[in-house]
Amino acid sequence: MGFFSNWQMSRMAKYEERNMCPDCKGKGIHYFAGTEFYFGEPLQCCGCNGTGLYSEWVNNS
Ligand SMILES: [Zn+2]
């Protein structure tokens, strides 16, 4: 048994195929809608440095 399940692996492969950051789904930012602290304020994704690219995410992890 690996750390990732087959389901997660196939999901990751899709992100890799489309060069999309898995953390922010290619958006480059995170939304915290509905919280008291972030109300509609987007926050730059630290997984891909706001680029939204899988290649950037891989270099970061
Ligand atoms: Zn990201």
Side-chain angles (χ1 to χ4, degrees), residues 21 23-26 28-30 45-50 52 57:
C21 168
D23 282 353
C24 59
K25 298 180 173 59
I29 44 173
H30 286 291
C45 175
C46 52
C48 60
N49 288 324
W57 179 83

Side-chain angles (χ1 to χ4, degrees), residues 4-38:
F4 290 110
S5 70
N6 285 339
W7 176 79
Q8 282 172 312
M9 284 299 280
S10 63
R11 229 170 70 132
M12 294 302 281
K14 265 185 191 172
Y15 285 120
E16 186 173 12
E17 202 175 282
R18 297 171 191 178
N19 200 19
M20 272 165 55
C21 168
D23 282 353
C24 59
K25 298 180 173 59
K27 290 187 177 71
I29 44 173
H30 286 291
Y31 289 102
F32 293 92
T35 72
E36 291 174 50
F37 308 105
Y38 285 96

